[in-house]
Amino acid sequence: MTTMNRILCLATRPDKSLSPEHFTILEEKIGPLGPDDVLVRNTWLSIDPSVRLRLHAVTPNGYLPPFEVGEPLVGLALGVVVESRSSRFSPGDTVTHMYGYRDCAVVPAGGGGLGGAGSLTKIETDGFAPQWFLGPLGSSGLTAYVGLVEIIGLQPADVLWVSAAAGAVGSIAAQLAVLRGSTVIASAGNQDKVDYLRDGLGVHSAFDYHSGDVTTLVADAAPDGIDAYFDNVGGDHFDAALANLRTGGRIAMCGAISGYDVAAPGPGPSNTFQITAKSLSIRGFRAGSFAHLYDAMRFEVGTHLSDGSMVHRESVYEELEQAPTALVDLLNGRTTGKTLCRLA
Amino acid sequence: MTTMNRILCLATRPDKSLSPEHFTILEEKIGPLGPDDVLVRNTWLSIDPSVRLRLHAVTPNGYLPPFEVGEPLVGLALGVVVESRSSRFSPGDTVTHMYGYRDCAVVPAGGGGLGGAGSLTKIETDGFAPQWFLGPLGSSGLTAYVGLVEIIGLQPADVLWVSAAAGAVGSIAAQLAVLRGSTVIASAGNQDKVDYLRDGLGVHSAFDYHSGDVTTLVADAAPDGIDAYFDNVGGDHFDAALANLRTGGRIAMCGAISGYDVAAPGPGPSNTFQITAKSLSIRGFRAGSFAHLYDAMRFEVGTHLSDGSMVHRESVYEELEQAPTALVDLLNGRTTGKTLCRLA
């Protein structure tokens, strides 16, 4: 077996926009496994926008701490067990865990400091592509499902707006909502993605948020207002939702990519009185707190993926060297569907 | 009976801060009652900050329409029936209704265009001062109760922050929370009010929001964070709540007085990512949608007021001429408790 490992680290902290030069690859020897440790050869890395937050010198109150310069990054990954000191894992098992951004990972089988949703988990792929368990059948799918079902409480009569709808979470949320009978308005950042939303995902209406004032674009797509908004973007999209929601409207917030790759967040919506005037509900959430809904999600999304009623795209980058480019492309809207890095 | 009536109207639309000169009193003859009409002599007018919103040329999306110049104002009022064409009301009945800001009111017994919570309602005062049915036993009390019980879901272990806590709604919310066993931090706009919060209402900690940065003041009062925030203010108070709430925190929003008496709302909080990072819930509401909770509120608040465990203050202005001053004083933080105008 390989005794040397390569791990992606922060080389210099970005002042403004992130670029691949902010990263470096550290080589280190893989030490002997401790009791209950599992050695995993990573095959797929999940590239998630939220990692960008931890590259700032200070992270938002309530969020995970910053990565220090020279410190290995972590993130969701999928791999194959090479060696195991745990009775629960055997060589050859496919697993997910939180020690991504490296070729190999020594993972404490009990979860260690990155427990909870990031604990070492054995995956039964059941004929699905293994990397889908980082995407539609994993964290992205659960985020979409929880946001719609648990946070928004989506009903068939609802008019729902999904932002970043060509992305990993948004594309699942938009399709699940269509399949559950709701009217779905979807937005993304270029015409190719808009075409994909309309022709691939089957949403009722789609727009490029660069094509005008977002509040007006939503109003044009839903002249009678919207009942719910699935927010992946924040910023002017949040404003637009407050303006366009009908009385009793709901917002699910699972991220705010518009604010991640900037030095400081811009001013927030000036129309927060809409929350009172229209009795709106706004809830932030993280899928990790809703692990009990995983099986229900897996059944519903898995069924749709199997019978072809739901489509899924991936933007795949090759090898650890390309992981920084994958992240930068994701933050700049240049990827579609789930963004992944494949390790040979 | 009087055949002439006096009604408060908007004389000129305020550009910036409201002053009494923006109002005028119109005199008009009381016409014959229509079928099902009730003539009420108003004895108490409820002075509510939200009426200020309707003095702008444009009201927030989802809110009631603006008052036009020369058009009679409306608002919550209490009075005595003088003459009735309705079988449900008799001369001498004490009633509440929405045709305030005038000496007498012709009120359709069926509710008319101002139905719902503003419908003509007979009050059994049961020994309480009648004007309390505009305050702690009426709309203000229901707003406080709904916010705590239904929106926030207050638990005894919660640390709750109540803003504008010396006001009509805030003072009831703060006391109800103390009496239900929660730890209550309360804020108001001057030292007299802060003394009242601490010594009169019995909150655990109180501060004057002018005495520093509100986020810091809340952090000083609750170093381990807060679980819930009852918002009557908006603006920098909303920011401070987002910063200080713990994971899973809840906000109830029933108004945003800080934004009412200004030409245009200021920028909102730049820290809305906190909603996602800490899985916060934010809900706006209007008490009128929770009329089914009135009896429960009436029992709980009434019991506390009867046995002296809850106190109540009023800022009383005399006669219709003083109603504009009452409203201006309320908007400028110069009143305590429920602001009322008494008509002889």
Side-chain angles (χ1 to χ4, degrees), chain B residues 3-185:
Chain B
T3 54
M4 289 305 288
N5 196 14
R6 299 186 316 148
I7 307 184
L8 198 67
C9 298
L10 183 62
T12 55
R13 207 176 282 290
D15 283 340
K16 288 184 284 189
S17 293
L18 189 69
S19 77
E21 289 71 47
H22 291 111
F23 297 92
T24 187
I25 290 175
L26 179 79
E27 301 213 9
E28 67 172 28
K29 199 160 182 292
I30 297 172
L33 299 188
D36 217 33
D37 274 355
V38 175
L39 178 64
V40 179
R41 184 172 56 78
N42 288 335
T43 51
W44 293 91
L45 308 178
S46 174
I47 308 295
D48 294 298
S50 56
V51 73
R52 176 65 183 89
L53 282 173
R54 302 185 66 188
L55 305 178
H56 291 289
V58 178
T59 54
N61 186 5
Y63 202 69
L64 296 163
F67 292 116
E68 298 305 325
V69 171
E71 183 192 356
L73 303 187
V74 298
L76 188 61
L78 182 133
V80 178
V81 172
V82 174
E83 190 182 343
S84 173
R85 296 282 161 88
S86 162
S87 58
R88 297 189 295 117
F89 298 92
S90 307
D93 285 352
T94 296
V95 290
T96 57
H97 59 85
M98 276 303 288
Y99 292 84
Y101 292 108
R102 63 197 75 189
D103 287 335
C104 292
V106 176
V107 186
L114 297 167
S119 296
L120 188 66
T121 304
K122 186 172 172 180
I123 300 295
E124 302 295 347
T125 54
D126 290 337
F128 292 111
Q131 73 274 19
W132 288 13
F133 292 87
L134 298 178
L137 297 174
S139 169
S140 310
L142 187 59
T143 303
Y145 185 90
V146 168
L148 290 185
V149 175
E150 196 74 9
I151 307 294
I152 285 175
L154 190 72
Q155 302 298 319
D158 283 335
V159 177
L160 170 76
W161 172 31
V162 180
S163 62
V169 172
S171 62
I172 304 302
Q175 292 181 93
L176 266 180
V178 169
L179 289 161
R180 282 176 167 239
S182 300
T183 301
V184 179
I185 293 156

Side-chain angles (χ1 to χ4, degrees), chain A residues 18-337:
Chain A
L18 189 69
S19 77
E21 289 71 48
H22 292 111
F23 298 92
T24 186
I25 290 176
L26 180 78
E27 300 213 10
E28 68 173 27
K29 199 161 180 290
I30 298 171
L33 298 189
D36 217 35
D37 274 355
V38 175
L39 177 64
V40 178
R41 183 172 57 77
N42 287 333
T43 50
W44 292 92
L45 308 178
S46 174
I47 309 295
D48 293 299
S50 56
V51 74
R52 176 64 183 90
L53 282 172
R54 301 185 66 187
L55 304 178
H56 292 289
V58 177
T59 55
N61 186 4
Y63 201 70
L64 296 164
F67 292 115
E68 298 306 325
V69 171
E71 183 191 358
L73 302 188
V74 297
L76 188 61
L78 182 133
V80 178
V81 173
V82 174
E83 190 182 343
S84 174
R85 297 281 160 88
S86 163
S87 59
R88 298 189 294 116
F89 297 92
S90 308
D93 285 351
T94 296
V95 291
T96 58
H97 59 85
M98 276 304 286
Y99 292 86
Y101 293 109
R102 63 198 75 189
D103 286 334
C104 292
V106 177
V107 186
L114 296 168
S119 297
L120 188 65
T121 304
K122 187 173 171 181
I123 300 294
E124 302 295 347
T125 54
D126 291 337
F128 292 111
Q131 73 274 20
W132 288 13
F133 292 87
L134 299 177
L137 297 174
S139 169
S140 310
L142 187 58
T143 302
Y145 185 89
V146 167
L148 289 186
V149 175
E150 196 75 8
I151 308 294
I152 285 175
L154 190 72
Q155 302 298 319
D158 284 335
V159 177
L160 169 76
W161 172 31
V162 180
S163 62
V169 172
S171 61
I172 305 302
Q175 290 180 94
L176 266 180
V178 169
L179 289 162
R180 281 176 168 239
S182 300
T183 301
V184 179
I185 293 156
S187 59
N190 64 47
Q191 191 56 45
D192 280 353
K193 292 183 180 180
V194 169
D195 292 344
Y196 174 55
L197 301 180
R198 203 177 281 123
D199 305 333
L201 308 189
V203 304
H204 301 81
S205 175
F207 64 86
D208 175 355
Y209 69 82
H210 296 105
S211 66
D213 167 67
V214 184
T215 298
T216 307
L217 290 166
V218 176
D220 288 347
D224 297 327
I226 59 175
D227 299 293
Y229 171 51
F230 194 114
D231 186 30
N232 287 299
V233 175
D236 59 352
H237 285 58
F238 184 40
D239 262 82
L242 294 178
N244 281 287
L245 279 163
R246 293 199 270 240
T247 295
R250 299 94 76 201
I251 299 180
M253 300 181 85
C254 68
I257 194 169
S258 68
Y260 292 170
D261 197 22
V262 295
S270 60
N271 58 349
T272 52
F273 183 70
Q274 295 285 300
I275 301 168
T276 305
K278 297 191 294 197
S279 299
L280 306 181
S281 296
I282 303 169
R283 264 183 81 187
F285 71 102
R286 292 202 234 170
S289 306
F290 296 87
H292 59 285
L293 296 177
Y294 179 79
D295 288 345
M297 179 283 288
R298 164 78 197 274
F299 176 77
E300 185 167 336
V301 175
T303 302
H304 290 317
L305 286 169
S306 295
D307 69 14
S309 53
M310 187 180 275
V311 301
H312 173 57
R313 277 198 191 172
E314 293 170 349
S315 295
V316 178
Y317 295 73
E318 303 289 346
E319 301 303 339
L320 192 61
E321 287 81 353
Q322 289 301 311
T325 304
L327 180 58
V328 169
D329 283 357
L330 170 61
L331 290 166
N332 288 281
R334 292 191 285 262
T335 66
T336 302

